[in-house]
């Protein structure tokens, strides 16, 4: 009888997490539309200089993402732990993170609400997200030649910038493969590079997993802030292309080691 009861409990927990996941996606879409139509226009019309209005917009988007992350946590869809959060959000800081799941962007922007972010260009056409990403003035990864310059400029202005160097979600079971763009941005404008190592176990919301493929146990998400990487170590006395290649190779080795641990 105990075994039977335990089996029922596990099935009930999975069923509830399935419902919670469906609600999470529905609320994300509804929230994006509300931000675009009602909330962000009101925020932008408050008086103040452009930089202040941009900061208000980002904090509004960040707060919405934080509330969404708390909803997923409170209804039991996932557990999470964020170690070293207090070291994120510094002026001119480039935050580099791997990208194992669709939801890691929500957690990072929700917990570092003042940060800028390089995001997929397709979000500018997404009816739920194009309002928030435009108003918050995030940087589109549109493949243009001047995207790197725009990203470096915001770092030189003293903004914090979040970059996912893979450009897409990690293939489960494989180490992340970084494009050199993040390293090139760092060499051009970052005061410091700070890695964030993200693990999601069991995997969920990868590129190959639809939302309704809910794992049979609760997802555990860990975000761990690593040691700062001084850009000058790689850039002093060498041309920028060589510096960015060296930094990118260092990031590859670093993430392969830290995510394997």
């Amino acid at each position: 009888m105990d075994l039977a009861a335990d089996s029922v409990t596990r099935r009930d927990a999975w069923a509830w997490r399935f419902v919670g996941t469906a609600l999470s996606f529905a609320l994300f879409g509804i929230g994006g539309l509300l931000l675009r139509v009602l909330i962000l226009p009101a925020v932008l019309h408050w008086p103040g200089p452009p930089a202040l209005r941009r900061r208000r917009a980002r904090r509004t988007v960040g707060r919405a993402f934080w509330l969404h992350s708390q909803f997923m946590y409170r209804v039991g869809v996932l557990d999470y732990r964020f170690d070293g959060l207090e070291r994120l959000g510094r002026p001119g800081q480039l935050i580099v993170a791997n990208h194992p799941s669709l939801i890691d962007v929500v957690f990072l922007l929700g917990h570092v609400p003042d940060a800028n972010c390089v995001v997929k260009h397709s979000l500018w056409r997404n009816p739920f997200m194009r309002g928030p990403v435009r108003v918050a003035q995030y940087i589109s990864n549109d493949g243009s030649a001047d995207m790197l310059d725009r990203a470096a400029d915001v770092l030189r202005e003293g903004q914090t910038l979040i970059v996912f160097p893979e450009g897409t979600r990690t293939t489960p079971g494989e180490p992340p493969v970084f494009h050199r763009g993040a390293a090139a941005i760092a060499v051009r404008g970052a005061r410091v590079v700070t890695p964030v190592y993200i693990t999601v176990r069991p995997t969920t919301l990868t590129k190959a997993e639809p939302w309704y493929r809910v794992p049979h146990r609760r997802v555990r998400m860990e975000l761990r802030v690593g040691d700062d990487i001084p850009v000058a170590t790689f850039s002093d006395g060498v041309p920028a292309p060589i510096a960015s290649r060296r930094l990118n190779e260092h990031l590859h080795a670093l993430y392969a080691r830290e995510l394997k641990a």
Side-chain angles (χ1 to χ4, degrees):
M1 291 295 293
D2 290 341
L3 289 176
D6 190 47
S7 177
V8 170
T9 300
R10 284 197 297 267
R11 287 198 299 270
D12 288 346
W14 181 89
W16 172 246
R17 284 186 288 106
F18 182 91
V19 172
T21 301
L23 287 173
S24 297
F25 269 82
L27 288 174
F28 190 84
I30 294 169
L33 287 175
L34 288 175
L35 281 172
R36 176 186 171 191
V37 175
L38 295 177
I39 300 172
L40 288 174
V43 171
L44 287 176
H45 280 87
W46 290 350
L52 178 59
R53 285 185 288 168
R54 181 191 66 204
R55 190 178 307 117
R56 287 172 182 160
R58 285 186 186 164
R59 289 186 175 182
T60 301
V61 173
R63 184 63 176 176
F65 281 1
W66 183 85
L67 288 171
H68 193 74
S69 69
Q70 296 308 298
F71 176 83
M72 289 188 288
Y73 169 68
R74 296 294 180 183
V75 300
V77 170
L78 53 77
D79 290 322
Y80 79 97
R81 178 175 176 175
F82 208 139
D83 290 331
L85 174 60
E86 69 281 357
R87 295 194 288 111
L88 300 182
R90 287 171 279 164
Q93 180 185 42
L94 179 65
I95 299 172
V96 175
N98 59 307
H99 192 15
S101 176
L102 187 65
I103 55 176
D104 46 44
V105 181
V106 174
F107 276 79
L108 263 182
L109 285 173
H111 287 78
V112 193
D114 286 336
N116 203 332
C117 186
V118 177
V119 300
K120 291 174 63 175
H121 183 62
S122 61
L123 292 182
W124 263 253
R125 300 188 298 272
N126 185 302
F128 303 111
M129 289 302 299
R130 67 188 181 194
V133 298
R134 287 177 186 271
V135 172
Q137 298 181 26
Y138 295 145
I139 297 172
S140 169
N141 190 3
D142 56 11
S144 65
D146 65 347
M147 186 275 289
L148 299 179
D149 290 328
R150 295 200 308 272
D153 285 343
V154 305
L155 287 166
R156 286 192 289 264
E157 290 172 10
Q159 298 183 38
T160 302
L161 180 64
I162 298 172
V163 176
F164 296 89
E166 294 168 274
T168 188
R169 279 165 276 174
T170 314
T171 301
E174 297 182 9
V177 177
F178 292 167
H179 300 291
R180 203 184 296 179
I185 293 168
V187 169
R188 295 181 188 206
R191 300 179 190 176
V192 67
V193 176
T194 305
V196 177
Y197 311 110
I198 304 175
T199 57
V200 179
R201 297 188 180 96
T203 62
T204 187
L205 299 176
T206 66
K207 205 165 188 180
E209 292 176 312
W211 72 265
Y212 51 80
R213 192 176 297 168
V214 177
H216 285 280
R217 71 175 191 271
R218 185 177 302 177
V219 170
R220 172 73 175 178
M221 183 175 186
E222 294 188 2
L223 304 95
R224 179 167 53 90
V225 180
D227 294 332
D228 290 341
I229 302 171
V231 180
T233 303
F234 302 91
S235 61
D236 282 355
V238 298
I242 295 176
S244 62
R245 186 182 72 242
R246 290 178 177 176
L247 178 55
N248 196 54
E249 290 172 352
H250 175 75
L251 288 171
H252 267 131
L254 186 64
Y255 273 80
R257 183 178 71 246
E258 293 294 333
L259 293 177
K260 188 177 180 179

